[in-house]
Amino acid sequence: MKNWYDNVFQFVKGKDSMLELLTLFYIIYLLIKLYAAFMEIGFVSNARGLKAIILSPSNYAKAAAYKIASQKFSIANTLFDFVLFFGWITFGLSALDAALIMENEVLRSVLLVMSFSAINYLLTLPFDLYQTFGLDKKFGFSTIDIKTFILDQLKSTVMFLLFGGVFFWAMSAIIMAYEYWWFYGFLFAFGVILFINMIYPIVIVPLFNKLTPLEDESLKSSIEALLQKAGLKSSGVFSLDASKRDNRLNAYFGGLGRSKRVVLFDTLIAKLEKHELLAVLGHELGHFKHNDILKNIASSALMLLLMFALFGNLPEELFDALHVNQSAGSVMILFLMLSPLLSFVLMPLFGLVSRYNEYRADEYGSECESQNALASALVKLADENKSFPLSHPLTIALYFTHPPLTERLKKLGMRFDEGEVLAH
């Protein structure tokens, strides 16, 4: 027994074996994602040939076409991500590490991570361009022009250089200063995340969109009454000019503490009736009433802590296999490269909990207005956002944070026929 254990231990500790093990994990991750995408394409292709449900026949067909096109694009993106990952672990990381030689280790680590991020950004930019100006334009979502897109990219780049540089500098200093840096790094990173969430609606959003106080006084009064009933204090109700980039409908409660704001996309205000909009906001308030926001923060903290604990204890053999120095910069790069794998493993569990929370939020939203109002709003959201109402069970298990629309409507006591939703 002892010899068997020693042999396995030596295999895993070997340089070549570490790289093979890392590649094997990524290939398994890749195959699961590809299998799920192909299953979804087959499922939706079969379903679109059946009688339309919930959506009108024309919109049902459009939603199916968009879902299939999105899955095909996802397959191409996933395959490219693998090529990129393989390129980094075989020669890219070692070449980048060797190219940056300087005495200041903190500065070197920051430049290493920033260079890695910049190269990834440039290599994946064509996919973003196709998503925005190809796929989303074709199906009537994207309304953004080239000028706005370029300005968005420039603003995002400046923010990344300024705030990303400071973050990576601080994280590098923490890694180099403490033996159990992963714990202190987690505390720092989580604090930054909370801070960003707090300032997001009042600092970051105005850099990209115009926020204006809601002009409809009747709607504003009704929203404030909903907030008061739920015991939620807000710093205001705002309309956001989302239509200059996209036609999708959305609304959210942004910020933490005193920075909380109710933000309604102008597309949502234009498409939903007052009672439907209040039902949607009631749903969001349901998350507040059930402490889902605090639970999400806690679960996110737990997942982040797990990631830091894992990536803070990577074996030295892995860095040797990649031919890079075990520095703060290389540790952060491996964190960026490998965290999607861990997130993918944990997401089904978080998705299961999230779907349960969505049902409870639906109950509260229907209590704020009515089941019919919320059901009508959900159908309009699906219709405008071209959300196909059916999905393969594997896709639901792996990715869905919200239950399928059919299940949500059933829970609300609705039955659905071709092109419409009718109450029992």
Side-chain angles (χ1 to χ4, degrees):
M1 177 66 71
K2 185 176 186 301
N3 290 335
W4 174 85
Y5 174 82
D6 288 342
N7 289 335
V8 172
F9 181 77
Q10 289 301 323
F11 172 79
V12 173
K13 291 283 284 183
K15 294 180 183 179
D16 294 337
S17 299
M18 287 298 302
L19 197 56
E20 291 170 1
L21 196 61
L22 180 61
T23 306
L24 177 62
F25 284 149
Y26 199 97
I27 289 175
I28 293 172
Y29 160 76
L30 170 74
L31 292 177
I32 294 173
K33 290 192 69 174
L34 291 177
Y35 178 77
F38 280 114
M39 288 298 99
E40 183 74 350
I41 289 173
F43 181 89
V44 175
S45 297
N46 290 331
R48 73 173 172 179
L50 304 175
K51 180 181 177 181
I53 59 170
I54 301 176
L55 308 180
S56 65
S58 61
N59 288 339
Y60 183 86
K62 289 177 184 177
Y66 179 70
K67 188 65 172 286
I68 292 170
S70 296
Q71 289 297 314
K72 290 180 178 178
F73 176 69
S74 174
I75 290 171
N77 214 334
T78 299
L79 290 172
F80 181 78
D81 285 344
F82 174 70
V83 172
L84 194 57
F85 174 84
F86 191 74
W88 279 120
I89 66 172
T90 52
F91 65 88
L93 287 180
S94 58
L96 187 61
D97 189 56
L100 293 172
I101 301 174
M102 57 188 64
E103 293 183 3
N104 190 318
E105 188 60 32
V106 173
L107 179 59
R108 182 181 180 278
S109 292
V110 172
L111 291 177
L112 189 66
V113 181
M114 299 286 273
S115 300
F116 169 82
S117 301
I119 292 170
N120 274 341
Y121 166 76
L122 291 173
L123 291 176
T124 56
L125 183 59
F127 287 88
D128 292 335
L129 288 168
Y130 175 76
Q131 174 81 57
T132 304
F133 295 102
L135 186 61
D136 286 352
K137 283 279 189 184
K138 177 182 177 181
F139 285 91
F141 289 132
S142 178
T143 58
I144 195 170
D145 55 32
I146 293 291
K147 178 183 177 181
T148 303
F149 182 84
I150 293 174
L151 285 175
D152 284 351
Q153 298 302 308
L154 291 174
K155 291 175 186 177
S156 298
T157 300
V158 171
M159 289 179 63
F160 175 74
L161 292 174
L162 293 176
F163 299 110
V166 172
F167 176 83
F168 292 132
W169 176 85
M171 190 60 71
S172 298
I174 291 172
I175 293 173
M176 295 175 62
Y178 300 102
E179 180 180 358
Y180 297 103
W181 67 263
W182 56 269
F183 180 71
Y184 299 104
F186 155 73
L187 293 178
F188 172 70
F190 188 63
V192 169
I193 291 172
L194 291 179
F195 177 72
I196 290 174
N197 275 277
M198 185 173 66
I199 68 169
Y200 179 78
I202 57 177
V203 176
I204 299 176
V205 171
L207 293 175
F208 296 89
N209 289 91
K210 183 179 180 182
L211 280 171
T212 55
L214 190 63
E215 296 180 354
D216 188 331
E217 290 298 328
S218 174
L219 177 59
K220 183 178 179 181
S221 298
S222 297
I223 292 174
E224 290 173 346
L226 271 183
L227 297 176
Q228 187 175 7
K229 178 184 175 182
L232 178 64
K233 293 183 178 180
S234 167
S235 63
V237 182
F238 295 85
S239 172
L240 182 141
D241 61 339
S243 58
K244 73 177 183 180
R245 291 183 177 82
D246 201 282
N247 282 323
R248 292 178 178 91
L249 314 186
N250 201 3
Y252 63 88
F253 291 97
L256 294 172
R258 294 182 179 179
S259 70
K260 287 195 193 79
R261 287 183 174 185
V262 179
V263 179
L264 309 175
F265 283 23
D266 56 356
T267 51
L268 187 79
I269 297 172
K271 295 293 184 178
L272 295 191
E273 302 293 334
K274 179 180 177 181
H275 67 287
E276 295 169 336
L277 202 152
L278 292 175
V280 170
L281 292 179
H283 167 92
E284 297 301 327
L285 283 172
H287 289 302
F288 172 78
K289 288 292 290 185
H290 295 129
N291 294 315
D292 292 338
I293 297 173
L294 294 177
K295 292 173 186 175
N296 288 339
I297 291 174
S299 60
S300 298
L302 181 62
M303 185 165 71
L304 191 64
L305 177 60
L306 182 61
M307 287 182 177
F308 268 89
L310 177 63
F311 295 113
N313 293 280
L314 292 172
E316 184 180 344
E317 286 76 12
L318 178 58
F319 295 90
D320 292 340
L322 295 171
H323 303 291
V324 297
N325 297 311
Q326 190 172 0
S327 64
S330 59
V331 167
M332 288 188 286
I333 287 176
L334 286 178
F335 189 109
L336 295 174
M337 287 179 60
L338 302 179
S339 55
L341 277 72
L342 185 58
S343 298
F344 186 74
V345 172
L346 296 175
M347 268 307 296
L349 175 60
F350 286 105
L352 186 65
V353 174
S354 177
R355 291 194 295 274
Y356 170 76
N357 292 336
E358 292 300 325
Y359 282 129
R360 296 204 305 165
D362 278 350
E363 291 177 7
Y364 187 84
S366 61
E367 291 171 5
C368 290
E369 282 297 307
S370 68
Q371 290 182 329
N372 283 335
L374 182 57
S376 177
L378 291 175
V379 171
K380 283 188 178 180
L381 286 169
D383 192 52
E384 294 294 331
N385 294 342
K386 295 183 176 64
S387 299
F388 194 67
L390 302 169
S391 279
H392 191 279
L394 181 59
T395 302
I396 296 170
L398 289 177
Y399 300 112
F400 274 36
T401 56
H402 289 61
L405 180 57
T406 52
E407 299 304 315
R408 294 179 74 178
L409 293 175
K410 287 177 184 177
K411 286 282 188 180
L412 291 170
M414 302 291 127
R415 64 181 176 87
F416 32 87
D417 292 326
E418 184 174 342
E420 59 183 352
V421 177
L422 301 173
H424 280 306

